[in-house]
């Protein structure tokens, strides 16, 4: 589904990513973990085209996508959420999800302005699909509330819903459990599992909550100072001395 | 379209229908025609500023292109006026694309200056190459539709306000659709918009074109109504006036453009009785309203109405 070959990225002399390579199997949940500043978000930005890598290759669904605009990559079936929430705050919960349908709809100025039949049909379908997504993520009761008025936990879930509306093959989640309490985190874990099994969407999960990571991931990649220091199943990673050292070092710092 | 918009539209059309019976003579109707023409320009600018977050001090350029291209095509090439108007809008769209390619990389003040420069260039071109140069030209034919020529003031008044109503409906449809949501999304978060697959550059470009089409349509209607035009009607002063209409009426709602256009057009006429002080009073009123009605008249009225009803979720 996704193949990374030698991804490197620098920010004014700081090596945020150096020579990162790994593959993600279709239909899996792959976690990406590592101490603060390890380069996890930078890697998600590189994959989604928001901030392309300096070097290396991103192969998504069999095609090289680095160099393509994030818009094109999104339309090819890659969607994401953001560590620092990026909701459309002045829009309702439903509208936020409908914007996600944009990648799959067409009506432009003329068609919308003249209310052409195909534009109206498309709009009806977008609404219906988006309402179904709200049901799926259990936010229907907030349908017409402004997104910015939701508690943070529900905002995170809404970002996932908006990403689902684009009908992704691959979904990148950047710390979806940040700011969530224990019950919310457990529900989130269930949601991610359902997205994987019911919708067959491949997931890359960046997360600090180790209970969540260990309980839902098939494979884990560990980044430290921009380098991959370990890769394996949850059990293997928990026992890996390099990983333990990286995390202990992080705590001492 | 929403109840509020529907009622506003009904109210507007009622007012338009009654105007010729409530006023005597053609003077009021003529002012009404100019208000309608200005409203078309203001609606386009409103969408550009309020929804796409752009600014333009060059709408007079598109307005002038609409007037000149349509007039010249109908006089020199004998094109039916309806066709020459459409051609004029096409030319204005093309100019908008030429302007937007460099201008959309700019933001705020820089964009304002770039569009201002565009407006001035068009004005210089009209002065240099336009028939009659700075003194302009006349004998522009009236618009003929289905064998009926719009020559009387009343006919023009009705026709132009029907056009305004159509443009309002068209604009509201756009704003309440995929396109309008995309524009609001860009306002909310550019990063997320890109990640959701929105083509931000194309959207901004298209809004620019839309505002140019509205302004050139207004310019063409103006030319074929007054039948005599000169470059001075399409200078920087007009661009500033258009900006005033939109800011005064409120940029977040197309009705703001309409209200602003009506007020700015009628105000100088009402101030005639102050004789030589009219410009002074005009300036004073505008300055005070901009100071005290920051958000614009229409958004403030909506806020008031919502608070009266005790609701919260109302949107225009
Ligand atoms: N736009 C940027 N400009 C400069 N430096 C940056 C930029 N983005 C990230 N960095 C730096 O790159 C490194 C990796 O940052 P990144 O945000 O990817 O870490 P992370 O693993 O997501 O950390 P966290 O767990 O705190 O979210 C850090 O040293 C950070 O300061
Ligand atoms: Mg991060």
């Amino acid at each position: 589904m996704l193949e990374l070959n030698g991804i490197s990225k620098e920010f004014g002399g700081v090596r945020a990513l150096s020579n990162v390579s790994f593959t993600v199997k279709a239909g899996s949940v792959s976690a990406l973990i590592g101490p603060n500043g390890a380069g996890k978000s930078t890697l998600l930005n590189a994959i989604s085209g928001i901030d392309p890598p300096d070097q290396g290759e991103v192969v998504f669904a069999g095609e090289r996508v680095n160099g393509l605009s994030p818009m094109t990559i999104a339309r090819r079936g890659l969607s994401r959420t953001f560590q620092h929430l990026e909701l459309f705050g002045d829009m309702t919960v439903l509208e936020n999800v409908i914007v996600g349908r944009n990648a799959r709809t067409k009506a432009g100025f003329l068609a919308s302005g003249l209310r052409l039949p195909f534009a109206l049909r498309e709009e009806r379908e977008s609404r219906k699909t988006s309402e179904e997504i709200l049901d799926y993520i259990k936010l229907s009761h907030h349908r017409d509330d402004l997104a910015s008025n939701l508690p943070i936990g529900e905002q995170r879930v809404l970002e996932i819903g908006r990403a689902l509306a684009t009908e992704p093959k691959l979904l990148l989640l950047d710390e979806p459990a940040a700011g969530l309490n224990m019950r919310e985190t457990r529900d989130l874990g269930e949601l991610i599992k359902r997205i994987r099994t019911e919708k067959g969407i491949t997931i890359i999960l960046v997360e600090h909550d180790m209970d969540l990571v260990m309980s839902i991931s098939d494979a884990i990649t560990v980044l430290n100072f921009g380098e991959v220091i370990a890769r394996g199943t949850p059990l293997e990673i928990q026992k890996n001395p390099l990983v333990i050292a990286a995390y202990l070092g992080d705590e001492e710092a | 379209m929403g109840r509020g918009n529907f009622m506003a539209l009904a109210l507007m059309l009622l007012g338009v229908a009654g105007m010729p019976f409530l006023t005597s003579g053609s003077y009021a109707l003529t002012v009404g025609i100019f208000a309608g023409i200005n409203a078309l320009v203001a609606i386009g600018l409103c969408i550009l500023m309020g929804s796409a977050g752009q600014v333009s001090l060059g709408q007079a350029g598109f307005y002038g292109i609409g007037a000149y291209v349509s007039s010249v095509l109908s006089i020199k090439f004998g094109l039916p006026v309806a066709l020459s108007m459409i051609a004029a809008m096409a030319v204005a769209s093309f100019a908008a694309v030429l302007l937007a390619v460099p201008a959309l990389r700019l933001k705020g003040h820089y964009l304002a200056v770039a569009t201002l420069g565009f407006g001035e260039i068009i004005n210089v071109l009209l002065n240099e190459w336009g028939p009659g140069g700075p003194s302009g030209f006349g004998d522009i034919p009236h618009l003929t539709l289905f064998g009926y020529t719009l020559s009387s003031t009343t006919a023009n008044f009705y026709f132009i306000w029907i056009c305004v109503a159509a443009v309002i409906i068209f604009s509201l449809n756009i704003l309440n659709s995929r396109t309008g949501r995309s524009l609001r999304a860009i306002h909310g978060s550019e990063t997320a918009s890109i990640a959701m697959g929105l083509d931000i550059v194309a959207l901004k470009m298209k809004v620019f074109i839309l505002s140019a089409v509205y302004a050139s349509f207004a310019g063409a209607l103006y030319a074929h109504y007054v039948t005599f035009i000169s470059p001075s009607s399409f200078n920087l002063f007009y661009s500033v006036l258009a900006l005033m209409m939109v800011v005064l009426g409120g940029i977040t709602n197309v009705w703001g453009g309409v209200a602003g256009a009506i007020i700015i057009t009628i105000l100088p006429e009402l101030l005639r009785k102050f004789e030589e002080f009219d410009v002074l009073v005009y300036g004073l009123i505008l300055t005070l309203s901009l100071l005290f009605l920051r958000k614009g008249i229409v958004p403030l009225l909506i806020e008031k109405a919502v608070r009266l009803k005790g609701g919260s979720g109302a949107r225009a």
Side-chain angles (χ1 to χ4, degrees):
Chain A
M1 172 62 54
L2 183 76
E3 192 183 324
L4 303 177
N5 293 321
I7 303 285
S8 296
K9 177 90 191 172
E10 264 186 33
F11 290 112
V14 180
R15 278 222 130 187
L17 293 172
S18 56
N19 201 23
V20 173
S21 305
F22 63 89
T23 56
V24 172
K25 270 220 320 258
S28 66
V29 173
S30 294
L32 188 60
I33 64 171
N36 291 113
K40 305 177 297 290
S41 297
T42 305
L43 187 58
L44 294 196
N45 288 340
I47 297 170
S48 56
I50 301 265
D51 197 356
D54 299 333
Q55 279 159 42
E57 196 184 36
V58 181
V59 180
F60 170 55
E63 283 177 81
R64 195 187 144 109
V65 293
N66 50 317
L68 298 181
S69 70
M71 180 189 86
T72 314
I73 297 176
R75 290 182 183 188
R76 294 235 179 132
L78 190 148
S79 200
R80 62 169 297 170
T81 66
F82 295 88
Q83 177 174 358
H84 306 289
L85 285 158
E86 294 278 355
L87 284 170
F88 310 125
D90 292 340
M91 298 169 76
T92 67
V93 166
L94 179 65
E95 284 174 327
N96 266 272
V97 179
I98 300 182
V99 173
R101 293 301 302 158
N102 246 285
R104 303 287 163 223
T105 46
K106 291 202 171 58
F109 281 70
L110 219 53
S112 307
L114 299 174
R115 292 171 67 84
L116 296 185
F118 102 84
L120 295 182
R121 192 177 343 111
E122 199 179 77
E123 178 79 15
R124 266 198 312 276
E125 282 165 7
S126 283
R127 262 171 205 281
K128 191 163 155 279
T129 314
S130 303
E131 278 168 0
E132 284 164 8
I133 289 174
L134 284 187
D135 275 341
Y136 193 78
I137 60 175
K138 305 197 167 80
L139 279 186
S140 294
H141 55 295
H142 283 310
R143 186 178 179 278
D144 297 319
D145 295 340
L146 284 186
S148 53
N149 289 347
L150 296 191
I152 186 127
E154 293 185 317
Q155 292 199 13
R156 294 227 176 260
V157 173
L158 177 56
E159 272 212 349
I160 296 177
R162 183 179 65 184
L164 286 177
T166 68
E167 294 175 23
K169 297 192 205 105
L170 175 63
L171 179 58
L172 315 180
L173 304 175
D174 199 348
E175 303 199 17
L180 270 59
N181 64 30
M182 259 168 56
R183 196 180 53 83
E184 288 170 331
T185 305
R186 204 187 54 224
D187 291 346
L188 177 75
E190 290 307 313
L191 177 62
I192 295 174
K193 276 194 218 160
R194 274 166 57 217
I195 291 171
R196 194 263 303 264
T197 51
E198 295 172 10
K199 294 187 183 284
I201 296 172
T202 312
I203 291 163
I204 296 184
L205 169 71
V206 169
E207 190 44 69
H208 284 296
D209 186 316
M210 283 309 136
D211 291 337
L212 179 65
V213 168
M214 296 302 163
S215 67
I216 63 175
S217 313
D218 303 304
I220 299 177
T221 303
V222 188
L223 275 183
N224 195 22
F225 295 113
E227 288 181 62
V228 177
I229 57 165
R231 186 153 167 76
T233 63
L235 270 179
E236 289 163 0
I237 293 298
Q238 274 168 330
K239 288 185 296 195
N240 189 313
L242 276 174
V243 177
I244 296 166
Y247 271 89
L248 285 180
D250 186 44
E251 265 160 35
E252 280 163 13
Chain B
M1 193 161 63
R3 261 233 330 271
N5 285 324
F6 189 78
M7 267 159 57
L9 200 65
L11 210 69
M12 187 186 93
L13 287 174
L14 214 69
V16 167
M19 256 291 270
F21 305 101
L22 297 174
T23 57
S24 53
S26 63
Y27 167 69
L29 287 188
T30 308
V31 176
I33 287 174
F34 292 135
I37 289 171
N38 290 335
L40 293 172
V41 179
I43 293 168
L45 191 55
C46 218
I47 299 175
L48 185 70
M49 291 176 66
S51 302
Q54 310 286 303
V55 69
S56 169
L57 269 173
Q59 292 310 94
F62 299 122
Y63 186 52
I65 289 176
Y68 266 75
V69 172
S70 187
S71 303
V72 169
L73 286 180
S74 57
I75 295 177
K76 297 247 157 91
F77 299 90
L79 225 60
V81 174
L83 270 185
S84 63
M85 284 174 82
I86 293 173
M89 289 189 261
V91 173
S93 311
F94 183 67
V97 174
L98 290 187
L99 171 64
V101 169
L104 287 184
R105 294 182 197 192
L106 306 173
K107 284 208 161 97
H109 305 314
Y110 298 99
L111 178 63
V113 171
T115 53
L116 188 151
F118 163 79
E120 285 308 278
I121 289 172
I122 297 294
N123 200 250
V124 168
L125 292 182
L126 298 184
N127 270 298
E128 292 294 318
W129 293 344
S135 40
F137 63 105
D139 289 330
I140 302 168
H142 285 299
L143 173 63
T144 300
L145 278 178
F146 308 112
Y148 179 78
T149 302
L150 293 166
S151 49
S152 79
T153 306
T154 314
N156 272 284
F157 175 79
Y158 279 135
F159 178 71
I160 282 172
W161 276 94
I162 287 171
C163 291
V164 174
V167 165
I168 291 174
I169 294 172
F170 184 77
S171 305
L172 287 173
N173 286 345
I174 289 179
L175 293 178
N176 290 322
S177 73
R178 175 177 186 268
T179 308
R181 271 193 309 269
S182 306
L183 292 172
R184 280 189 286 141
I186 294 173
H187 256 291
S189 160
E190 286 215 5
T191 313
S193 305
I194 297 172
M196 291 304 118
L198 304 196
D199 191 340
I200 292 188
V201 178
L203 271 165
K204 286 182 178 171
M205 169 89 93
K206 286 175 185 167
V207 177
F208 223 86
I209 296 172
L210 186 77
S211 82
V213 168
Y214 287 2
S216 57
F217 181 45
L221 286 170
Y222 172 80
H224 294 287
Y225 166 63
V226 297
T227 69
F228 175 90
I229 55 175
S230 70
S232 62
S233 309
F234 313 103
N235 58 14
L236 177 61
F237 180 71
Y238 188 80
S239 292
V240 174
L241 213 60
L243 193 70
M244 291 288 296
M245 295 172 194
V246 171
V247 172
L248 182 68
I251 61 169
T252 51
N253 190 304
V254 293
W255 291 104
V258 180
I262 294 174
I263 294 169
I264 296 272
T265 313
I266 294 180
L267 201 56
E269 308 301 327
L270 296 181
L271 296 179
R272 284 281 160 83
K273 59 164 93 63
F274 291 96
E275 297 183 351
E276 67 262 48
F277 296 111
D278 62 345
V279 181
L280 200 72
V281 180
Y282 183 66
L284 204 65
I285 292 181
L286 288 185
T287 313
L288 289 178
S289 11
L290 289 182
L291 275 175
F292 292 107
L293 308 170
R294 278 287 173 77
K295 291 181 183 167
I297 293 170
V298 170
L300 280 176
L301 285 178
I302 293 176
E303 256 174 41
K304 281 258 156 61
V306 168
R307 222 172 292 150
L308 275 182
K309 273 198 295 186
S312 64
R315 242 192 329 107

